[in-house]
Amino acid sequence: MTTTMASLSSAYSARTTNPIDVLEACIDRLQNESANAPGVITSLTLERARTSARASAARWRKGRPLSAVDGLPMVWKDVFDISGQITTCGSAVREHARCATEDAALVEQLEALGVLSVAKTGLSEFAYSGLGINSFAGTPVNPWDPKTPRIVGGSSSGSAAAVIRGWVPLGMGSDTSGSLRVPAAFTGLVGFKPSHGRYRTGGMFPLAPSLDTAGPLVRDVGDVRLLDTVLTGSPVQTLDLSDCTFIVPKGRALAVNTNEVQAVFDGVVSLLRKQGLKVVEREFAAFEKTRELFDQHGTLVAVEATQVHRELLHSDRLNLVDPRVAARMKLGAQLSDASSAEIRARRMPLLAQSLADLPTGEILIYPTVCMTAPEIGPLNDDAAWFAACNARVLQNTMLASYLDMPTLSLPAELAANGLPVGISVSMTTGCDALLLGVAQQLQDRLRAG
């Protein structure tokens, strides 16, 4: 199902297809291919989806859909509660947990708008890694390299894999430090981290509550805009790109790019300039100061994840956690009270600085990840490389998370090694609708070349 949400919705309206047929085609492909795609699916909710599809098809026949997303199949990262299902969070610790008795708030909202919940998807254990490797539930393999197994990226790995494999047009995930944007970059998808609180997160297992966001992985920015409109009721907004300034952040905050990624990014900048757009390089002070804060004291993710997993950290069940994930948890627990307090205290002043330094009409643009998707084998074989690679993969995305900047990762041209590269665009907190309008135009320009 290599199609978009918007095209499916239009097809329903034109009665050239219907939700029942689309769902069955989705299920056929999922069931035929998932056995050879470890770590993508954690559980199926097929009867639930089929019941919803029958109701949706009847509404479309009458010309009374619940919304533009009525009848669209989708998958949910296994941090969202779905009634009757265990929310495993990709961990053996929760393998035998009680089934959820209620749906997560976003599941409830989207199903009330008519979406079809087909399955729950795999992730980095407890969403605590940007790599998507999972020794318990399986690691999804990136289909862009048929010869060498490479990561999809995480932590929303299963949702990204389901979309890029064409099983569904929408995968819902979560993003705390980059968990939507990283897999989008590694698979050539669009991933959107909204401002905190834009989409409901009740019933979503937390990692760092003040950073946790829910968001989509799709093939087209138009689908993000479609989803955002039905979820928020916000009107479509945009800016004329000729009136905008794209800022390429200078300094040491962002990771040093590999040659392949740098070449693609330079090509994007050159293209935009040739098209008459204003692109300038300058230091973005809020990024630089946030990086200094992280280097000196640690991250807010580590502070808050320690609180979320406090009981587990003092339990024998920690032995069930992947040692590489457990090591991250233990490091976070070692942060001093003074460092934790400093990390919390500096956030609002730095957020205010980002607002002052990036007025409306200015947009940050930078590589989502400094490398293309790395190989799975060396990451599994070398714990030190796992830790170092995870830090590099998340270095860029963590900055916008701390500053609550809505950010969207767009696919650019493939790198010289044939793998996808993602380009991030960020605006200040609350500018989600404007950002999506800008990203739509930017996507169109990149595709037109």
Side-chain angles (χ1 to χ4, degrees), residues 9-31:
S9 184
S10 296
Y12 291 165
S13 182
R15 300 192 180 185
T16 56
T17 189
N18 65 78
I20 295 173
D21 289 347
V22 167
L23 175 65
E24 291 306 320
C26 162
I27 292 173
D28 285 347
R29 187 161 184 186
L30 189 156
Q31 291 183 324

Side-chain angles (χ1 to χ4, degrees), residues 78-79 86-92 94 123-127 134 205-206:
D78 201 359
V79 293
I86 296 173
T87 305
T88 71
C89 301
S91 178
R94 295 186 56 82
L123 63 150
S124 306
E125 188 169 8
F126 286 117
N134 190 306
F205 196 95

Side-chain angles (χ1 to χ4, degrees), residues 90 123-125 128-140 150-155 157 322 324-325 374-381 386:
L123 63 150
S124 306
E125 188 169 8
Y128 211 175
S129 162
L131 302 178
I133 285 179
N134 190 306
S135 59
F136 164 68
T139 299
R150 296 179 181 273
I151 63 170
V152 169
S155 63
S157 51
D322 185 315
R324 297 163 296 190
V325 175
E375 297 178 24
I376 292 174
L379 288 166
N380 275 331
D381 295 341
F386 181 101

Side-chain angles (χ1 to χ4, degrees), residues 87-102:
T87 305
T88 71
C89 301
S91 178
V93 172
R94 295 186 56 82
E95 184 179 11
H96 303 295
R98 293 181 180 179
C99 291
T101 57
E102 296 180 351

Side-chain angles (χ1 to χ4, degrees), residues 4 34 42 98 247 257 282 363:
T4 65
S34 60
T42 59
R98 293 181 180 179
I247 310 297
N257 299 317
R282 76 161 189 248
I363 302 106

